[in-house]
Amino acid sequence: MITMDDIVREGHPVLRQVAKEVTLPPSEEDKATLKSMMEFLINSQDDEIAQKYNLRPGIGLAAPQLGISKRMIAIYLLDDNDKWHQYAWFNPKIVSHSVEVTYLETGEGCLSVDREVPGYVPRYARIKVKAFDLNNKEVTVKLRGLPAIAVQHEIDHLNGVMFYDRINEEDPYKIPEGVVLD
Ligand code: SB7
Ligand code: NI
């Protein structure tokens, strides 16, 4: 199983690389990696397991965070409407997005960043994503709110971008241009 020891931290060059597309259909190895990423997220949100293995809770994970420079992400989170969003995706791509921008009032954190970085991270308020799932089926999903923010955070990892790159340097808590709070 994946633990915090497997997660690379800022400073590791893989976090700044543009990850490679996964060749489809995915190999058994790539599928196993993506499944173990999802298992990590589920474990990290289980109080007992998280305590036992010292896991920081996570709602998303990208393969580069394991030192694997391939376009794979996992998302596991409960939204404001108590709906679970569980996605294990190869080659995710934002095919369209809102003009409107949003941000988390609590800012963002990252399992690869062992410090708090204050400030608002501007994100598209709504996105439409295309990806391939574990069955090599193409899926198209429209998201808003936390799931949309989490997917953008993970796709950023595939492009070598860290959440703090998007924080306004002069004024971290300046409300970004184009914000609609919902
Ligand atoms: C806050 C946290 C995350 C996404 C968006 C807002 C995910 C944190 C875990 N990760 O480091 C995943 O890359
Ligand atoms: Ni992260």
Coordinates of all heavy atoms in Angstrom, one line a residue, residues 121-165:
V121 N -6.2 30.5 -4.2 CA -5.7 29.9 -5.5 C -6.9 30.0 -6.5 O -7.9 29.3 -6.4 CB -5.4 28.4 -5.2 CG1 -4.8 27.8 -6.5 CG2 -4.3 28.3 -4.1
P122 N -6.7 30.9 -7.5 CA -7.8 31.0 -8.5 C -8.0 29.7 -9.3 O -7.0 29.2 -9.8 CB -7.4 32.2 -9.3 CG -6.0 32.5 -9.0 CD -5.6 31.8 -7.8
R123 N -9.2 29.3 -9.4 CA -9.6 28.1 -10.2 C -10.8 28.4 -11.1 O -11.6 29.2 -10.7 CB -9.9 26.9 -9.3 CG -8.8 26.5 -8.4 CD -7.7 25.9 -9.1 NE -6.7 25.3 -8.1 CZ -5.5 24.8 -8.6 NH1 -5.2 24.9 -9.8 NH2 -4.7 24.3 -7.7
Y124 N -10.9 27.8 -12.2 CA -12.2 27.9 -13.0 C -13.3 27.4 -12.1 O -13.2 26.3 -11.4 CB -12.1 27.0 -14.3 CG -11.0 27.5 -15.2 CD1 -10.1 26.5 -15.7 CD2 -10.9 28.8 -15.6 CE1 -9.1 26.9 -16.5 CE2 -9.9 29.2 -16.5 CZ -9.0 28.2 -16.9 OH -8.0 28.6 -17.8
A125 N -14.5 28.1 -12.2 CA -15.6 27.7 -11.3 C -16.3 26.4 -11.8 O -16.8 25.6 -11.0 CB -16.6 28.8 -11.3
R126 N -16.2 26.2 -13.2 CA -16.8 25.0 -13.7 C -15.9 24.5 -14.9 O -15.3 25.3 -15.6 CB -18.2 25.3 -14.3 CG -19.2 25.8 -13.3 CD -20.6 26.2 -14.0 NE -20.5 27.2 -14.9 CZ -20.4 28.5 -14.6 NH1 -20.4 28.9 -13.4 NH2 -20.3 29.5 -15.6
I127 N -15.8 23.2 -14.9 CA -15.0 22.6 -16.0 C -15.7 21.4 -16.6 O -16.6 20.8 -15.9 CB -13.6 22.1 -15.4 CG1 -13.8 21.1 -14.3 CG2 -12.8 23.3 -15.0 CD1 -12.5 20.5 -13.8
K128 N -15.4 21.1 -17.8 CA -15.8 19.8 -18.5 C -14.5 19.1 -18.8 O -13.6 19.6 -19.4 CB -16.6 20.1 -19.7 CG -17.2 18.9 -20.4 CD -18.3 19.2 -21.4 CE -17.8 19.0 -22.8 NZ -18.9 19.4 -23.8
V129 N -14.5 17.8 -18.2 CA -13.2 17.0 -18.4 C -13.5 15.8 -19.2 O -14.6 15.2 -19.0 CB -12.8 16.6 -16.9 CG1 -11.4 15.8 -17.0 CG2 -12.6 17.7 -16.0
K130 N -12.6 15.5 -20.1 CA -12.6 14.2 -20.7 C -11.4 13.4 -20.3 O -10.4 13.9 -20.1 CB -12.5 14.3 -22.3 CG -13.9 14.6 -23.0 CD -13.7 14.5 -24.5 CE -14.8 15.3 -25.2 NZ -15.9 14.5 -25.6
A131 N -11.7 12.1 -20.1 CA -10.6 11.2 -19.6 C -10.9 9.8 -19.9 O -12.0 9.5 -20.5 CB -10.5 11.3 -18.1
F132 N -10.0 8.8 -19.6 CA -10.3 7.4 -19.8 C -10.2 6.8 -18.4 O -9.3 7.1 -17.6 CB -9.2 6.8 -20.7 CG -9.4 7.2 -22.2 CD1 -8.9 8.4 -22.6 CD2 -10.2 6.5 -23.0 CE1 -9.1 8.9 -23.9 CE2 -10.4 6.9 -24.4 CZ -9.9 8.1 -24.8
D133 N -11.2 5.9 -18.2 CA -11.3 5.3 -16.8 C -10.5 3.9 -16.8 O -9.8 3.6 -17.8 CB -12.7 5.1 -16.4 CG -13.5 4.1 -17.2 OD1 -12.9 3.3 -18.0 OD2 -14.7 4.1 -17.0
L134 N -10.6 3.2 -15.7 CA -9.8 2.0 -15.6 C -10.2 0.9 -16.6 O -9.4 0.0 -16.9 CB -10.0 1.4 -14.2 CG -9.2 2.2 -13.1 CD1 -9.7 1.9 -11.7 CD2 -7.7 1.8 -13.1
N135 N -11.4 1.1 -17.2 CA -11.9 0.1 -18.2 C -11.6 0.6 -19.6 O -12.1 0.1 -20.6 CB -13.4 -0.1 -18.0 CG -13.7 -0.7 -16.7 OD1 -13.0 -1.7 -16.2 ND2 -14.7 -0.2 -16.0
N136 N -10.7 1.7 -19.7 CA -10.4 2.3 -21.0 C -11.6 2.9 -21.7 O -11.6 3.0 -22.9 CB -9.7 1.2 -21.9 CG -9.0 1.9 -23.0 OD1 -8.4 3.0 -22.9 ND2 -9.0 1.3 -24.2
K137 N -12.6 3.2 -20.9 CA -13.8 3.8 -21.4 C -13.6 5.4 -21.3 O -13.2 5.9 -20.3 CB -15.0 3.4 -20.6 CG -16.3 3.6 -21.3 CD -17.5 3.0 -20.5 CE -18.2 4.2 -19.8 NZ -19.4 4.6 -20.0
E138 N -13.9 6.1 -22.4 CA -13.9 7.5 -22.4 C -15.0 8.1 -21.6 O -16.2 7.7 -21.9 CB -13.8 8.1 -23.8 CG -13.5 9.6 -23.8 CD -13.4 10.3 -25.1 OE1 -14.1 9.8 -26.1 OE2 -12.6 11.2 -25.2
V139 N -14.7 9.0 -20.7 CA -15.8 9.6 -19.9 C -15.7 11.1 -20.0 O -14.6 11.6 -20.2 CB -15.7 9.2 -18.4 CG1 -15.9 7.7 -18.2 CG2 -14.3 9.5 -17.8
T140 N -16.9 11.7 -20.0 CA -16.9 13.2 -20.0 C -17.7 13.6 -18.8 O -18.8 13.1 -18.5 CB -17.6 13.7 -21.3 OG1 -17.0 13.2 -22.4 CG2 -17.6 15.2 -21.3
V141 N -17.1 14.5 -17.9 CA -17.8 14.8 -16.7 C -17.8 16.3 -16.5 O -16.7 17.0 -16.8 CB -17.0 14.2 -15.5 CG1 -17.7 14.5 -14.2 CG2 -16.9 12.7 -15.6
K142 N -18.9 16.9 -16.1 CA -19.0 18.3 -15.8 C -18.9 18.5 -14.3 O -19.7 17.8 -13.6 CB -20.3 18.9 -16.3 CG -20.3 19.2 -17.8 CD -21.7 19.7 -18.2 CE -21.7 20.4 -19.6 NZ -23.0 20.9 -19.9
L143 N -18.1 19.4 -13.8 CA -17.9 19.6 -12.4 C -17.9 21.1 -12.0 O -17.6 21.9 -12.8 CB -16.6 19.0 -12.0 CG -16.4 17.5 -12.2 CD1 -14.9 17.1 -11.9 CD2 -17.3 16.7 -11.3
R144 N -18.4 21.3 -10.8 CA -18.3 22.6 -10.2 C -17.9 22.5 -8.7 O -17.9 21.3 -8.2 CB -19.6 23.4 -10.3 CG -20.8 22.6 -9.7 CD -22.1 23.2 -10.1 NE -22.3 24.6 -9.7 CZ -22.6 25.0 -8.4 NH1 -22.8 24.0 -7.5 NH2 -22.7 26.2 -8.1
G145 N -17.6 23.6 -8.0 CA -17.3 23.5 -6.6 C -16.0 22.7 -6.3 O -15.1 22.7 -7.1
L146 N -16.0 22.1 -5.1 CA -14.8 21.4 -4.7 C -14.2 20.3 -5.7 O -13.0 20.3 -5.9 CB -15.0 20.8 -3.3 CG -13.8 20.1 -2.7 CD1 -12.6 21.1 -2.5 CD2 -14.1 19.4 -1.4
P147 N -15.1 19.5 -6.3 CA -14.6 18.5 -7.2 C -13.9 19.2 -8.4 O -12.8 18.7 -8.9 CB -15.9 17.8 -7.7 CG -16.9 18.0 -6.7 CD -16.6 19.3 -6.0
A148 N -14.4 20.3 -8.9 CA -13.8 21.0 -10.0 C -12.4 21.6 -9.6 O -11.4 21.5 -10.3 CB -14.7 22.2 -10.5
I149 N -12.3 22.1 -8.4 CA -11.1 22.6 -7.8 C -10.0 21.5 -7.7 O -8.9 21.6 -8.0 CB -11.3 23.4 -6.5 CG1 -12.1 24.6 -6.7 CG2 -10.0 23.6 -5.8 CD1 -12.6 25.3 -5.5
A150 N -10.5 20.4 -7.1 CA -9.6 19.2 -6.9 C -9.0 18.7 -8.2 O -7.8 18.5 -8.3 CB -10.3 18.1 -6.1
V151 N -9.9 18.6 -9.2 CA -9.4 18.1 -10.5 C -8.4 19.1 -11.1 O -7.4 18.6 -11.7 CB -10.6 17.8 -11.5 CG1 -10.1 17.6 -12.9 CG2 -11.4 16.6 -11.0
Q152 N -8.6 20.4 -11.0 CA -7.6 21.3 -11.5 C -6.3 21.3 -10.8 O -5.2 21.4 -11.4 CB -8.2 22.7 -11.5 CG -9.4 22.9 -12.5 CD -10.1 24.3 -12.3 OE1 -9.6 25.3 -12.7 NE2 -11.2 24.2 -11.6
H153 N -6.4 21.0 -9.4 CA -5.1 20.9 -8.6 C -4.4 19.7 -9.2 O -3.1 19.7 -9.3 CB -5.5 20.7 -7.2 CG -4.4 20.5 -6.2 ND1 -4.1 21.4 -5.2 CD2 -3.5 19.5 -6.1 CE1 -3.0 20.9 -4.5 NE2 -2.7 19.7 -5.0
E154 N -5.1 18.6 -9.4 CA -4.4 17.3 -9.9 C -3.8 17.5 -11.3 O -2.7 17.1 -11.6 CB -5.3 16.1 -9.8 CG -5.9 15.8 -8.4 CD -4.9 16.0 -7.3 OE1 -3.7 15.7 -7.5 OE2 -5.3 16.4 -6.2
I155 N -4.6 18.1 -12.2 CA -4.1 18.3 -13.6 C -2.9 19.2 -13.6 O -2.0 19.0 -14.4 CB -5.3 18.7 -14.5 CG1 -6.3 17.6 -14.7 CG2 -4.7 19.2 -15.9 CD1 -7.5 17.9 -15.6
D156 N -2.9 20.2 -12.7 CA -1.7 21.0 -12.5 C -0.5 20.2 -12.2 O 0.6 20.4 -12.8 CB -1.9 22.1 -11.4 CG -2.5 23.4 -11.9 OD1 -2.7 23.6 -13.1 OD2 -2.8 24.3 -11.0
H157 N -0.6 19.2 -11.4 CA 0.5 18.3 -11.1 C 1.0 17.6 -12.3 O 2.2 17.4 -12.5 CB 0.2 17.3 -10.0 CG 0.2 17.7 -8.6 ND1 1.3 18.3 -8.0 CD2 -0.7 17.7 -7.6 CE1 1.1 18.6 -6.8 NE2 -0.2 18.2 -6.5
L158 N 0.1 17.3 -13.2 CA 0.6 16.6 -14.5 C 1.3 17.6 -15.4 O 2.0 17.2 -16.3 CB -0.7 16.1 -15.2 CG -1.6 15.1 -14.5 CD1 -2.7 14.6 -15.3 CD2 -0.8 14.0 -13.9
N159 N 1.2 18.9 -15.1 CA 1.8 19.9 -15.9 C 3.0 20.6 -15.2 O 3.5 21.6 -15.6 CB 0.8 20.9 -16.4 CG -0.2 20.3 -17.4 OD1 0.2 19.4 -18.2 ND2 -1.5 20.7 -17.3
G160 N 3.3 20.0 -14.1 CA 4.5 20.6 -13.3 C 4.2 21.9 -12.6 O 5.1 22.6 -12.2
V161 N 2.9 22.1 -12.3 CA 2.4 23.3 -11.7 C 2.0 23.0 -10.2 O 1.3 22.0 -10.0 CB 1.2 24.0 -12.4 CG1 0.7 25.2 -11.7 CG2 1.7 24.4 -13.8
M162 N 2.5 23.8 -9.3 CA 2.1 23.7 -7.9 C 1.1 24.8 -7.5 O 1.0 25.8 -8.1 CB 3.3 23.9 -7.0 CG 4.5 22.9 -7.3 SD 4.0 21.2 -6.9 CE 4.2 21.2 -5.1
F163 N 0.2 24.4 -6.5 CA -0.9 25.4 -6.2 C -0.4 26.8 -5.9 O -1.1 27.8 -6.3 CB -1.8 24.8 -5.1 CG -1.2 24.8 -3.7 CD1 -1.5 25.9 -2.9 CD2 -0.4 23.8 -3.3 CE1 -0.9 26.0 -1.6 CE2 0.1 23.8 -2.0 CZ -0.1 24.9 -1.2
Y164 N 0.7 26.9 -5.2 CA 1.2 28.2 -4.8 C 1.7 29.0 -6.0 O 1.9 30.3 -5.8 CB 2.2 28.1 -3.7 CG 3.3 27.1 -3.8 CD1 4.4 27.4 -4.7 CD2 3.3 25.9 -3.1 CE1 5.4 26.5 -4.8 CE2 4.4 25.0 -3.3 CZ 5.4 25.3 -4.1 OH 6.4 24.4 -4.3
D165 N 2.0 28.4 -7.1 CA 2.4 29.2 -8.3 C 1.2 30.2 -8.7 O 1.5 31.2 -9.4 CB 2.6 28.3 -9.5 CG 3.7 27.3 -9.3 OD1 4.5 27.5 -8.3 OD2 3.8 26.3 -10.1

